[in-house]
């Protein structure tokens, strides 16, 4: 799936919705809940695979630093976000500089 920053996608099996913040240079397969992500105007039509039912959190960024992929979750859901079948990790906050 070719991605561009700003693209809005949603899960095909739950309420999860994301915006692409950083897109990798290569094509990747994004999924949520065991099914591929679809365009934001499509409605969910399936059920979440129990193996990918960890949930997604609103306002959190999910990233794969090796690929250069970053997604912002705009609506939480029951499915776990994946890239090429691998679960995406929540991106941690950057540490603030020391005040010393």
């Amino acid at each position: 799936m070719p991605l561009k920053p700003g693209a809005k996608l949603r899960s095909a099996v739950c309420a999860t919705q994301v915006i692409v913040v950083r897109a990798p240079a290569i094509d990747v397969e994004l999924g949520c809940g065991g099914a591929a992500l679809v365009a934001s105007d499509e409605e969910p039509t399936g059920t979440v695979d129990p193996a990918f039912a960890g949930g997604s959190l609103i306002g959190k960024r999910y990233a794969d630093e090796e690929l250069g992929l970053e997604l912002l979750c705009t609506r939480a859901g029951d499915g776990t976000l994946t890239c090429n079948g691998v679960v995406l990790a929540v991106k941690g906050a950057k540490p603030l500089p020391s005040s010393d």
Side-chain angles (χ1 to χ4, degrees):
M1 165 187 295
L3 297 174
K4 291 191 285 186
K8 295 179 182 179
L9 303 169
R10 73 167 301 136
S11 171
V13 295
C14 71
T16 301
Q17 293 184 13
V18 298
I19 294 176
V20 177
V21 177
R22 282 190 308 144
I26 60 171
D27 288 349
V28 294
E29 184 177 326
L30 295 177
C32 182
L37 289 179
V38 295
S40 63
D41 57 353
E42 295 184 35
E43 291 297 319
T45 58
T47 58
V48 176
D49 180 342
F52 297 101
S56 56
L57 303 170
I58 190 169
K60 297 294 182 183
R61 292 175 184 254
Y62 292 84
D64 184 326
E65 295 299 328
E66 285 184 20
L67 291 175
L69 172 70
E70 186 174 328
L71 305 174
L72 172 63
C73 183
T74 57
R75 182 174 288 171
D78 297 329
T80 301
L81 290 165
T82 60
C83 179
N84 295 332
V86 178
V87 174
L88 289 173
V90 175
K91 185 175 179 181
K94 292 182 182 178
L96 295 174
S98 173
S99 62
D100 294 339

